[in-house]
Amino acid sequence: MKPRNPWAALPTIAIAAFIALTACSHLDRIVKYDVTAEYRGLEGKTIAVLVAADEFLLFRHPDEQEQDGRVVSGRLQENLEGARVVHPDLVVEWQEQNPYWQTLLYSELIEKVGTEAIVLIDIANYQLHEPGNRYEKRGAVTANVGVIEANAPDADDFTYFNTGSYVFPEDMEEGLINEDDESIQLGLLTLFSRDAAGLFYDHIVERKE
Protein backbone atom coordinates (compact mmCIF):
# COMPACT_ATOMS: atom_id res chain seq x y z
CA MET A 1 0.00 0.00 0.00
CA LYS A 2 1.67 3.23 -1.13
CA PRO A 3 0.76 6.89 -0.57
CA ARG A 4 -1.23 8.51 -3.36
CA ASN A 5 -0.08 11.91 -4.61
CA PRO A 6 -1.22 14.60 -4.83
CA TRP A 7 -3.04 14.49 -1.50
CA ALA A 8 -6.79 14.81 -2.09
CA ALA A 9 -8.79 17.50 -0.32
CA LEU A 10 -10.56 16.44 2.86
CA PRO A 11 -13.57 18.78 3.14
CA THR A 12 -14.85 17.07 6.27
CA ILE A 13 -12.17 18.88 8.32
CA ALA A 14 -13.44 22.29 7.27
CA ILE A 15 -17.07 21.35 7.89
CA ALA A 16 -16.39 19.87 11.29
CA ALA A 17 -14.23 22.82 12.31
CA PHE A 18 -17.05 25.19 11.39
CA ILE A 19 -19.49 23.24 13.55
CA ALA A 20 -17.12 23.24 16.51
CA LEU A 21 -16.40 26.95 16.24
CA THR A 22 -20.10 27.74 15.89
CA ALA A 23 -20.82 25.93 19.14
CA CYS A 24 -18.28 28.12 20.92
CA SER A 25 -19.03 31.42 19.17
CA HIS A 26 -21.03 32.78 22.12
CA LEU A 27 -18.11 32.55 24.54
CA ASP A 28 -16.65 35.83 25.79
CA ARG A 29 -13.06 34.65 26.05
CA ILE A 30 -11.09 31.97 24.20
CA VAL A 31 -7.59 31.14 25.40
CA LYS A 32 -4.92 29.49 23.26
CA TYR A 33 -2.75 26.74 24.73
CA ASP A 34 0.45 25.26 23.32
CA VAL A 35 0.29 21.47 23.26
CA THR A 36 3.52 19.48 22.91
CA ALA A 37 3.67 16.22 20.98
CA GLU A 38 3.81 13.08 23.10
CA TYR A 39 5.57 11.03 20.42
CA ARG A 40 7.74 12.33 17.57
CA GLY A 41 8.77 9.06 15.99
CA LEU A 42 6.47 9.40 12.96
CA GLU A 43 8.21 12.35 11.34
CA GLY A 44 9.63 11.52 7.93
CA LYS A 45 7.98 8.09 7.73
CA THR A 46 5.42 6.43 5.49
CA ILE A 47 2.28 6.01 7.60
CA ALA A 48 -1.11 4.35 7.30
CA VAL A 49 -3.98 5.18 9.67
CA LEU A 50 -6.18 2.18 10.46
CA VAL A 51 -9.35 2.51 12.52
CA ALA A 52 -10.98 -0.43 14.30
CA ALA A 53 -14.54 -0.44 15.65
CA ASP A 54 -16.91 -3.17 16.79
CA GLU A 55 -19.93 -4.30 14.77
CA PHE A 56 -22.44 -2.60 17.08
CA LEU A 57 -20.82 0.81 16.60
CA LEU A 58 -20.57 0.31 12.84
CA PHE A 59 -24.23 -0.69 12.70
CA ARG A 60 -25.29 2.52 14.46
CA HIS A 61 -22.72 4.78 12.76
CA PRO A 62 -21.56 3.08 9.54
CA ASP A 63 -19.47 6.05 8.36
CA GLU A 64 -17.62 6.73 11.60
CA GLN A 65 -14.70 4.37 11.01
CA GLU A 66 -13.96 5.83 7.58
CA GLN A 67 -14.46 9.44 8.69
CA ASP A 68 -12.09 9.08 11.65
CA GLY A 69 -9.40 7.57 9.45
CA ARG A 70 -9.90 10.20 6.77
CA VAL A 71 -9.67 13.25 9.03
CA VAL A 72 -6.83 11.95 11.23
CA SER A 73 -4.88 11.06 8.07
CA GLY A 74 -5.42 14.57 6.73
CA ARG A 75 -4.18 16.19 9.92
CA LEU A 76 -1.07 14.00 10.04
CA GLN A 77 -0.26 14.69 6.39
CA GLU A 78 -0.63 18.43 6.96
CA ASN A 79 1.34 18.68 10.19
CA LEU A 80 3.97 15.90 10.31
CA GLU A 81 7.21 17.07 8.78
CA GLY A 82 8.40 14.81 5.97
CA ALA A 83 5.66 12.22 6.54
CA ARG A 84 3.94 10.45 3.67
CA VAL A 85 0.48 9.33 4.73
CA VAL A 86 -1.33 6.67 2.73
CA HIS A 87 -4.50 8.13 1.23
CA PRO A 88 -7.52 7.03 3.31
CA ASP A 89 -9.34 5.76 0.21
CA LEU A 90 -6.57 3.22 -0.29
CA VAL A 91 -6.71 2.23 3.39
CA VAL A 92 -10.47 1.64 3.23
CA GLU A 93 -10.03 -0.40 0.05
CA TRP A 94 -7.35 -2.52 1.73
CA GLN A 95 -9.51 -3.09 4.82
CA GLU A 96 -12.42 -4.22 2.65
CA GLN A 97 -10.14 -6.65 0.83
CA ASN A 98 -8.75 -7.94 4.13
CA PRO A 99 -11.81 -8.15 6.46
CA TYR A 100 -9.92 -10.16 9.10
CA TRP A 101 -7.00 -7.74 9.37
CA GLN A 102 -7.65 -7.21 13.10
CA THR A 103 -6.76 -10.86 13.80
CA LEU A 104 -3.21 -10.44 12.46
CA LEU A 105 -0.13 -10.06 14.63
CA TYR A 106 1.14 -6.49 14.44
CA SER A 107 4.29 -7.66 12.67
CA GLU A 108 2.14 -9.40 10.05
CA LEU A 109 -0.15 -6.38 9.76
CA ILE A 110 2.57 -3.86 9.06
CA GLU A 111 4.24 -6.23 6.58
CA LYS A 112 0.99 -6.58 4.64
CA VAL A 113 0.23 -2.86 4.74
CA GLY A 114 3.76 -2.12 3.55
CA THR A 115 4.43 1.12 5.42
CA GLU A 116 7.08 2.12 7.92
CA ALA A 117 4.48 2.87 10.59
CA ILE A 118 0.80 2.35 11.35
CA VAL A 119 -1.32 4.56 13.57
CA LEU A 120 -3.91 2.13 14.91
CA ILE A 121 -7.05 3.70 16.39
CA ASP A 122 -9.37 1.38 18.31
CA ILE A 123 -12.68 3.03 19.16
CA ALA A 124 -13.82 1.57 22.49
CA ASN A 125 -16.89 3.74 23.14
CA TYR A 126 -18.92 6.19 21.05
CA GLN A 127 -22.11 8.12 21.81
CA LEU A 128 -23.87 11.29 20.66
CA HIS A 129 -26.12 12.00 23.65
CA GLU A 130 -26.13 11.80 27.41
CA PRO A 131 -26.73 8.23 28.66
CA GLY A 132 -30.43 7.68 29.18
CA ASN A 133 -31.42 11.01 27.60
CA ARG A 134 -31.44 11.04 23.81
CA TYR A 135 -32.69 14.65 23.77
CA GLU A 136 -29.58 16.06 25.48
CA LYS A 137 -26.83 15.97 22.87
CA ARG A 138 -23.27 15.44 24.08
CA GLY A 139 -20.76 13.55 21.97
CA ALA A 140 -18.21 11.32 23.64
CA VAL A 141 -15.64 8.88 22.35
CA THR A 142 -13.03 6.74 24.10
CA ALA A 143 -10.27 5.42 21.89
CA ASN A 144 -6.91 3.68 22.07
CA VAL A 145 -4.26 5.18 19.78
CA GLY A 146 -1.18 3.05 19.18
CA VAL A 147 1.82 3.14 16.88
CA ILE A 148 3.23 0.04 15.19
CA GLU A 149 6.63 0.39 13.50
CA ALA A 150 8.33 -1.99 11.12
CA ASN A 151 11.83 -1.35 12.47
CA ALA A 152 10.90 -1.61 16.15
CA PRO A 153 12.81 -4.09 18.35
CA ASP A 154 9.49 -5.90 18.86
CA ALA A 155 7.20 -5.35 15.87
CA ASP A 156 4.39 -7.18 17.70
CA ASP A 157 4.18 -4.45 20.33
CA PHE A 158 3.32 -0.75 20.22
CA THR A 159 6.14 1.77 20.21
CA TYR A 160 3.63 4.29 21.56
CA PHE A 161 0.20 3.85 23.14
CA ASN A 162 -2.40 6.22 24.53
CA THR A 163 -5.97 5.85 25.78
CA GLY A 164 -8.03 9.02 25.65
CA SER A 165 -11.59 10.23 26.17
CA TYR A 166 -12.93 13.10 24.08
CA VAL A 167 -16.13 15.09 24.62
CA PHE A 168 -18.03 17.62 22.50
CA PRO A 169 -18.87 20.31 23.49
CA GLU A 170 -15.69 20.21 25.57
CA ASP A 171 -16.25 23.46 27.51
CA MET A 172 -19.83 22.93 28.67
CA GLU A 173 -20.99 21.05 31.77
CA GLU A 174 -24.27 20.04 30.13
CA GLY A 175 -25.22 18.79 26.70
CA LEU A 176 -27.09 20.69 23.98
CA ILE A 177 -30.84 20.43 23.51
CA ASN A 178 -31.47 21.99 20.10
CA GLU A 179 -28.70 20.33 18.07
CA ASP A 180 -29.08 17.44 15.67
CA ASP A 181 -26.96 14.31 15.69
CA GLU A 182 -25.01 15.34 12.58
CA SER A 183 -23.79 18.57 14.20
CA ILE A 184 -22.67 16.71 17.33
CA GLN A 185 -20.99 14.02 15.25
CA LEU A 186 -19.04 16.57 13.22
CA GLY A 187 -18.03 18.56 16.28
CA LEU A 188 -16.85 15.40 18.03
CA LEU A 189 -14.93 14.36 14.91
CA THR A 190 -13.12 17.72 14.93
CA LEU A 191 -12.07 17.46 18.57
CA PHE A 192 -11.17 13.78 18.44
CA SER A 193 -9.06 14.12 15.30
CA ARG A 194 -7.39 17.26 16.64
CA ASP A 195 -6.30 15.58 19.87
CA ALA A 196 -5.60 12.08 18.48
CA ALA A 197 -3.48 13.34 15.58
CA GLY A 198 -2.02 16.02 17.84
CA LEU A 199 -0.33 13.36 19.95
CA PHE A 200 2.35 13.34 17.24
CA TYR A 201 3.08 17.04 16.62
CA ASP A 202 3.10 20.35 18.48
CA HIS A 203 -0.08 22.37 18.01
CA ILE A 204 -2.29 25.07 19.51
CA VAL A 205 -5.64 24.37 21.17
CA GLU A 206 -8.28 27.01 21.80
CA ARG A 207 -10.46 26.58 24.88
CA LYS A 208 -12.87 28.51 27.03
CA GLU A 209 -11.09 30.05 30.00
Side-chain angles (χ1 to χ4, degrees):
M1 190 187 304
K2 297 182 180 298
R4 176 186 293 170
N5 272 317
W7 186 263
L10 298 176
T12 306
I13 296 178
I15 296 172
F18 171 78
I19 296 293
L21 291 175
T22 300
C24 298
S25 62
H26 66 283
L27 301 177
D28 293 330
R29 181 173 174 80
I30 299 295
V31 179
K32 295 182 178 181
Y33 295 91
D34 293 322
V35 180
T36 303
E38 290 195 8
Y39 184 74
R40 299 186 184 277
L42 296 181
E43 294 180 355
K45 292 185 176 179
T46 303
I47 306 163
V49 177
L50 274 67
V51 181
D54 62 38
E55 293 181 357
F56 181 63
L57 189 153
L58 293 177
F59 175 76
R60 292 183 300 150
H61 308 285
D63 297 330
E64 189 60 31
Q65 182 180 29
E66 180 178 347
Q67 291 289 351
D68 286 346
R70 183 173 296 276
V71 182
V72 171
S73 294
R75 289 187 183 274
L76 293 177
Q77 181 64 55
E78 181 179 357
N79 293 285
L80 272 180
E81 183 176 355
R84 301 172 303 283
V85 182
V86 175
H87 194 281
D89 287 348
L90 295 179
V91 174
V92 171
E93 181 181 347
W94 185 88
Q95 288 176 301
E96 291 175 347
Q97 294 173 351
N98 297 270
Y100 302 108
W101 64 271
Q102 295 183 62
T103 66
L104 297 172
L105 295 173
Y106 294 149
S107 58
E108 297 173 333
L109 178 61
I110 198 163
E111 182 178 359
K112 286 182 176 293
V113 171
T115 55
E116 295 173 278
I118 291 174
V119 175
L120 180 59
I121 300 173
D122 184 8
I123 303 175
N125 179 61
Y126 185 89
Q127 61 189 44
L128 297 179
H129 55 77
E130 293 285 6
N133 185 356
R134 63 188 181 91
Y135 298 104
E136 187 174 352
K137 308 296 183 180
R138 187 174 181 85
V141 59
T142 300
N144 303 313
V145 180
V147 174
I148 306 164
E149 296 184 68
N151 63 353
D154 183 359
D156 285 319
D157 197 6
F158 292 114
T159 55
Y160 170 82
F161 185 82
N162 173 278
T163 298
S165 295
Y166 313 85
V167 176
F168 175 83
E170 63 178 338
D171 297 318
M172 298 177 63
E173 295 182 2
E174 298 180 353
L176 302 174
I177 300 299
N178 297 319
E179 294 291 341
D180 56 31
D181 284 354
E182 183 179 13
S183 297
I184 299 299
Q185 187 172 17
L186 290 174
L188 183 59
L189 176 62
T190 298
L191 296 183
F192 170 65
S193 63
R194 179 198 71 188
D195 292 347
L199 295 168
F200 307 110
Y201 54 81
D202 297 341
H203 60 288
I204 296 174
V205 171
E206 296 183 351
R207 286 201 174 101
K208 174 185 174 182
E209 187 176 43

